[in-house]
């Protein structure tokens, strides 16, 4: 294995002011623990302090349980037909605690209740729930499988259900799974024993391909923002908490990922990740294969930042910044909003960059990276870094 770490300023012999861990998954097999260190002279560095190959063939998503000190790894296993698994590790030593088979292709997860890990299964077109109360003995509690009568408008990428995202609402009473294949927002309430109860589905415009979404609790209303992967779009919905206990959505926003008009770069640029910061004051997303940015003289894909109006849910564009490489599949914002770690999946070698960010304005300084870490471990198709999270 070959890895390298770079800092904005050389750091040999420099005293440490603060350090925090970052966990990085790679589709090529490894899961890394990195230490991001801020030095007293103002420099920063990224150093590998741990690695495991025990997640499976294609680690795609990571989840931390701070209560038990456990790191969970979703093995999407896309290079192996009809496969999928979830592994649990000690977050300090990365020693494996358990590794259990799941429905095919877990792509995203969320802890929607204590010891209840919800999974969206891309290849399996399913949603499942794991009981993680004993990290050394993971138990599948539920599994929901979905089917389609006919393909969607994009017959290649919507030939069947592809559950790609899963997220809990701010009340802690509902869960939404985003199905790219069926153009569906599948809704669930949380019932006895914190198990999911199917409520139904809200269907977006045909061909949008909802991938990931985030909730924002406004002043009087709650909003849900959804990435349309297949149309390079961003959609805003008012969340309707119905009297019958179901969840509804009323769309009020529909534009390209760059706020340049719906349809711009549709089918070319591919939105991948979306997150909120400062309790929803800012919304951030990434797009792949867009070629709209540059970084240190080379082509780069893009990070897009918005401010959110808590009264109306309307979005104001803050700006487009470089991801620092190619295919920013995921990114992670530190809790204090001052750091943005971006995982550039198709950069050669695979590249993780930490940028400074202003939590007051939401502005990312893409030309002043704080630290860079790379890995030359890739799959034959070029895929490398798939997910990144801060340990906070």
């Amino acid at each position: 294995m070959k890895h390298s770490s770079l800092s904005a300023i050389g750091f040999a012999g420099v005293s440490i002011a603060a350090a925090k861990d970052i966990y990085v998954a790679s589709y090529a097999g490894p899961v890394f623990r990195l230490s991001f260190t801020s030095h007293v002279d103002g420099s920063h560095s990224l150093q590998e302090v741990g690695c495991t190959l025990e997640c499976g063939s294609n680690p795609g998503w990571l989840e931390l349980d701070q209560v038990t000190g456990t790191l969970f790894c979703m093995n999407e296993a896309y290079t192996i037909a009809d496969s999928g698994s979830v592994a649990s590790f000690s977050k300090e030593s990365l020693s494996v605690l358990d590794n259990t088979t799941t429905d095919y292709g877990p792509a995203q997860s969320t802890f929607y209740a204590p010891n209840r890990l919800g999974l969206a299964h891309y290849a399996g077109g399913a949603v499942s729930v794991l009981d993680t109360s004993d990290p050394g003995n993971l138990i599948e509690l539920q599994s929901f499988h979905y089917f389609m009568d006919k393909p969607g408008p994009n017959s290649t990428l919507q030939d069947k259900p592809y559950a790609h995202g899963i997220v809990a609402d701010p009340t802690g009473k509902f869960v939404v799974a985003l199905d790219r294949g069926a153009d569906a927002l599948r809704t669930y309430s949380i019932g006895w024993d914190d198990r999911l109860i199917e409520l139904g589905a809200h269907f977006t415009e045909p061909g949008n391909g909802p991938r990931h979404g985030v909730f924002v609790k406004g002043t009087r209303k709650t909003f849900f923002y959804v990435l349309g992967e297949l149309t390079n779009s961003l959609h805003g919905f008012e969340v309707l908490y119905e009297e019958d206990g179901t969840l509804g959505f009323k769309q009020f926003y529909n534009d390209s990922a760059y706020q340049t008009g719906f349809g711009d770069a549709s089918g070319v640029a591919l939105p991948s990740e979306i997150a909120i910061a400062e309790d929803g004051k800012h919304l951030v997303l990434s797009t792949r294969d867009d070629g709209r940015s540059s970084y240190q003289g080379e082509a780069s894909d893009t990070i897009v930042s918005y401010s959110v109006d808590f009264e109306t849910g309307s979005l104001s564009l803050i700006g487009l910044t470089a991801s620092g490489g190619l295919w920013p599949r995921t990114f992670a914002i530190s809790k204090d909003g001052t750091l943005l770690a971006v995982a550039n999946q198709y950069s050669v070698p695979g590249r993780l960059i930490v940028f400074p960010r202003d939590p007051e304005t939401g502005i990312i300084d893409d030309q002043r990276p704080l630290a860079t870490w790379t890995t030359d471990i890739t799959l034959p198709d070029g895929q490398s870094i798939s997910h990144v999270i801060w340990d906070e």
Side-chain angles (χ1 to χ4, degrees), residues 97-112:
L97 305 174
D98 193 18
N99 197 323
T100 187
T101 300
T102 66
D103 282 309
Y104 308 153
Q108 192 181 41
S109 64
T110 187
F111 274 109
Y112 65 85

Side-chain angles (χ1 to χ4, degrees), residues 67-116:
V67 174
T68 61
T70 306
L71 176 71
F72 295 88
C73 177
M74 279 25 82
N75 172 30
E76 194 171 339
Y78 78 92
T79 59
I80 303 173
D82 301 338
S83 297
S85 59
V86 173
S88 54
F89 301 89
S90 162
K91 75 169 190 173
E92 299 296 334
S93 66
L94 292 185
S95 57
V96 65
L97 305 174
D98 193 18
N99 197 323
T100 187
T101 300
T102 66
D103 282 309
Y104 308 153
Q108 192 181 41
S109 64
T110 187
F111 274 109
Y112 65 85
N115 302 319
R116 295 293 181 264

